[in-house]
Structure formats: C-alpha cells, structure tokens
Amino acid sequence: MGVVSTFILAALRNQQFLSLRELNEAVWDRLYGFNHKPFQKKNGSRASAFEEEKLFLLPLPGHPFELATWRIATVQYNYHISVDTQNYSCPYEYIKQKVDVRMTRSTVEIFFDGNRIASHPRLYGRPNQYSTLEAHMPPDHQKYIQWNGERFISWAEKVGPNTTSVIRLFLNRYAVEQQGYKSCMALLKLTDKYPPAALGSRLQQSFFFHGIPESQKHTVHTAFRTGQTARAGSGKILHLSIRFHTRSRIL
C-alpha cells in the first residue's frame, strides 16, 4: 500500500481538481500505469501476475467481517452453555467439558479443541432463553421430538384439569422443557391401560390438585417417585409409577 499510494500521490500532489470525478479519473490512470509497469528483475507486471494467479484465488467472503469476543464456558448437564444470560445447546457428548465461545452481533459459535461443534443465532431480549438443536439432544430426548409442551398440554386438557396441572408441573420443572417429556410420556401411556376419567380421578384423590399451592408440590414429586395406587372404576389397581427427577439432569 505504501508503494502504490506514493506512486499515485506523488504525481498528483501539485494538480488541482474541480470535481471528484476528475480526481477519480486521474487516480485510475496512475493506478493502471502502476499495475502495468514492467518488473525490474523479472518478466511481466503486476497485472500479468494477477491474471496468472486469478484462477487460484478464493472468492471473497459472502458476509462482511464482524468483530468477535471470546468466552470460556462449561457444558452443563442439560447439554447447554450459558453466556450473557442466554443458553445455547452443544452435542450432549461434551457435557462437563470446557469450550471456547466466539460471539459476534449475529452468531454464537462453540469450539472444543479448536473444532467448531455448534453454531447458533445469537439471542437477545428476555434473559434465560434457550436455543436448542435436535441433533444435540441425547437419544432419550430425541424420541420425544414429535411432541412438545403445547401438544402434551392439549392432550392433558382432554383428560381433565388434574392431569393438566401435573403435565404443566413436569414441563415447568426443568430449565430445558424437553427434560420433562419423559415424565409426561409416562403419564400419557397410562391412558392405554386405564380410562382417562380414572386417571384424572386418581390424581384428584391423591394430590388434591385443585388450587394446590406451590409449597405442596413436593408432595407430588414424592408420590410420583415412589408410586401410588388406587382403584379405578373397573376395580383394577391403577399404579402411577412415573419416574420424576428432582434434579435437572439427563433422563
């Protein structure tokens, strides 16, 4: 840059230009002469060398360069990292590993040992949002991917208000909603064996879920963890053996 700027400016420094167009034309004339000026110690010029190398040049990046900041984070048991009050998923194999995080205005990239293992659009706004990719989930979570919180709640509402309350409890218990799907699915499968009315009645009898206060929800956790029984309308024993974890960890 120093050579070319000197070559152009030195020749134009004493000239006067009455318009920007006139200045640009003079600059382009000097630049053309600079690029086609023969080399002193070898054949050719800068212009001919460029034509020879042109086929081997890579295209310019498709996106403008963005400044980036780097952080170090640890992949939590829910296979997410937390940076700037937002959460981004990693492949679950990296749980408990320290990773490097590259953050730009639009993207969050996660690296382990110099290799990129995840990339997410950067989250803004409400703190504690989650960006989760299906491919990062453990197999036990991926098999529930066709289900989501809205679908579980919609099913529960058809059974009754007590079932809806339990499903909402499972979904809200974990930082990552998918971690509650296993418990929701276990409750859903009970309707394959027992009438929905019996299931809703059992929940009402055991947990008095109408208007249950937050302070009593630990009773539900204990009951679902240990298993409870009650007689359904057909006289069969309705056994609620739904495994419910009180810690946020991989099911």
Side-chain angles (χ1 to χ4, degrees), residues 156 159-173 184 187 199-225 228 240 242 244:
V159 178
N162 302 306
T163 307
T164 304
S165 297
V166 174
I167 289 295
R168 290 186 183 277
L169 178 65
F170 289 156
L171 296 175
N172 295 330
R173 177 63 182 173
C184 293
L187 183 60
L199 178 61
S201 176
R202 174 67 185 115
L203 293 173
Q204 182 179 19
Q205 293 171 16
S206 298
F207 308 122
F208 305 102
F209 239 87
H210 289 298
I212 185 170
E214 185 72 25
S215 60
Q216 295 180 14
K217 285 185 179 177
H218 69 279
T219 304
V220 180
H221 303 169
T222 303
F224 272 86
R225 191 169 54 249
Q228 298 288 340
L240 300 181
I242 298 177
F244 185 79

Side-chain angles (χ1 to χ4, degrees), residues 75-76 79 90-96 135-139 142 250:
V75 183
Q76 304 300 318
Y79 52 90
C90 303
Y92 71 95
E93 296 90 346
Y94 295 94
I95 286 174
K96 296 179 63 176
H136 297 165
M137 297 178 178
Q142 291 187 21
I250 292 181

Side-chain angles (χ1 to χ4, degrees), residues 202 205 229-238:
R202 174 67 185 115
Q205 293 171 16
T229 61
R231 293 194 176 275
S234 62
K236 295 181 179 180
I237 297 298
L238 176 60

